[in-house]
Amino acid sequence: MAFDGLFTIAMTTELQQLVTGRISKIHQPNAQEILMHIRAQGQNFKLLFSVHPSYSRVQITNETIDNPAQPPLFCMVLRKHLEGGIIQSVKQHETDRIIIIKIQSKNEIGDDITREIHMEVMGRHSNLLLIDPTRNLILESIKHLSPSMNSYRTILPGQPYIAPPAQNKHHPLEYSEALLNVIQSANESKEIVEQISGFSPLHAKELLHRFQNGANRVEIYKEYMKEFEQGGAAIQIVESGGKTYYSPNELTHLDGDKFREKTLGDLLDRVYFAKAERDRVKQQAGDLERWLQNELNKLKLKMKKLQKDFEQAEKLDTFQLYGELLMANAYALEKGLKEVELVNYYDEDQKTVIIPLDTRKTPTQNAQSYYNRYTKAKTALQKIEQQFEITKDDIAYFELLLQQVMQASPTDIEEIREELMEQGLLKARASKKKKKLLKPTPEKFIASDGTEISVGKNNKQNDFVTFKLAKKSDTWLHTKDIPGSHVVIHSDDPSEVALLEAANLAAYFSKARDSASVPVDYTVIKQVKKPSGAKPGFVIYFEQTTLFVTPDEEKIRQMKK
């Protein structure tokens, strides 16, 4: 990772296209993100600010983020001061990871006002502040810092804005004699990081590697800095040694799988969006995930107990045998015996069996007692077998729900909650407003040949995709004997390419996402049936063919509509 001062230089250049743009909408999807909709140069942009401790960034995003029904306080303050405002400038504070966006807006009575958004990209110390530059006052911030938390700078509404402390390093774009000396003498990345501001170890190592390929270090350094100032010469992601690295420029010192992106926003979407989405879901569905796991644990414990009861109930044949042997030999037995040894006439070798007796009962009464125990065990065995099947189905259902939560978007989570409430498994949350039931929204993908593919991300969507959205002649796919999504190819004669790509989707949106050679069944929709009384998402299907695919995340990204 490398959202350092140099990356911020490149990002500032990319964000220049927003200058003169009008802020039309502001949303706060969660406690750590702000999304601004901006109309600039005849285009619509989405500007994302994130203060997440691991995924902090500012970028133009192409991804869609769901918003809460009620905006938080910080969002309402931003709307009051910035909605309808015009972006006048986007600048970087020195070479720090701080981007300042200056906005010309109007107050409640229509007078012009100037406001600034300060985005500080600093890991767990990241923050987003709304500043009144005319008075140098903090109007609001996404995180508050009291004097007891930070003695150097207080971040609270009404407090003067103080920039983070300077690092006392050489400015990378001011070619002082001291900077040139560092460039000429540095042999380790640590020397560059400690003496030149803006450099992370990644970009310091890249610079040293480039020095090896030329004699004039100063010219190589200037050319490297020019690439950042221009917004990046070769925007690249490198996956090497199980880690992901990214930069606005080519990382020549790293070996591994390399991917190019057109913009820095696309790069950050690729690196962070899926991780950040999973984090959003955890914030929204942490309680649901825990509840599902607890229910699953209870069901598995119930299954173990049923297994023990089943083993006990299976002894019913022994009770029947004891009863029959006692009845057959009742004439020869006396009352008061503790046990009796009788020949088992069902045994080929005529072996004897020892039968425990109740001394208070006659032989006939003891026989009847064993018959009664046989009848009870037989009834119990039937009930246990029924419970065994019900519990087995419940475990499969909860495992499917847990897998769906793990791969869900925030919208999908609400649909899963609704499904559980409709079945009486989860209590409805108290709400003042009556929530309007919306139609499920399955995810859409486009195959390489242009064929449209729909994917259900939860049981409500699965039923909708299979039984409402699809035609009888469409092709249906699902992982074989593995919890996963219903996938539909909207074509009565899909190409081999579309079939393989849809199978890839079925494998990716299943419990086998991280496996290789995942079996995927496919058949026509008319061969897919829902048994009467079956749980949501459960189907049976016939006349299927099986494909084996290995999920490819890159291919999924390309197909996403």
Side-chain angles (χ1 to χ4, degrees), residues 115-179:
R115 297 290 182 260
E116 286 181 353
I117 282 285
H118 287 226
M119 178 63 203
E120 301 176 354
V121 183
M122 297 177 180
R124 63 191 182 91
H125 300 295
S126 297
N127 211 340
L128 181 65
L129 302 94
L130 176 65
I131 307 292
D132 179 355
T134 57
R135 296 181 293 163
N136 194 41
L137 283 183
I138 298 170
L139 299 176
E140 190 53 280
S141 62
I142 202 164
K143 290 181 186 176
H144 289 176
L145 287 177
S146 64
S148 62
M149 295 170 71
N150 191 323
S151 58
Y152 179 81
R153 60 198 296 246
T154 299
I155 299 180
L156 289 170
Q159 292 294 315
Y161 174 72
I162 300 171
Q167 294 181 312
N168 296 319
K169 296 181 183 181
H170 303 304
H171 193 294
L173 301 177
E174 294 176 1
Y175 296 99
S176 62
E177 187 176 342
L179 173 64

Side-chain angles (χ1 to χ4, degrees), residues 43-61:
Q43 297 180 65
N44 293 320
F45 296 92
K46 288 184 284 187
L47 183 61
L48 174 67
F49 302 88
S50 173
V51 297
H52 190 283
S54 301
Y55 317 130
S56 56
R57 64 203 188 278
V58 54
Q59 63 163 114
I60 294 169
T61 181

Side-chain angles (χ1 to χ4, degrees), residues 369-403:
S369 177
Y370 276 115
Y371 279 135
N372 290 340
R373 289 173 72 181
Y374 163 74
T375 304
K376 285 182 181 179
K378 189 176 180 181
T379 304
L381 191 62
Q382 290 172 346
K383 289 182 178 178
I384 289 167
E385 286 174 341
Q386 289 174 359
Q387 283 296 312
F388 200 85
E389 288 304 312
I390 291 169
T391 307
K392 186 179 174 184
D393 289 343
D394 286 345
I395 286 173
Y397 178 61
F398 275 91
E399 282 181 341
L400 175 61
L401 287 173
L402 202 55
Q403 173 257 325

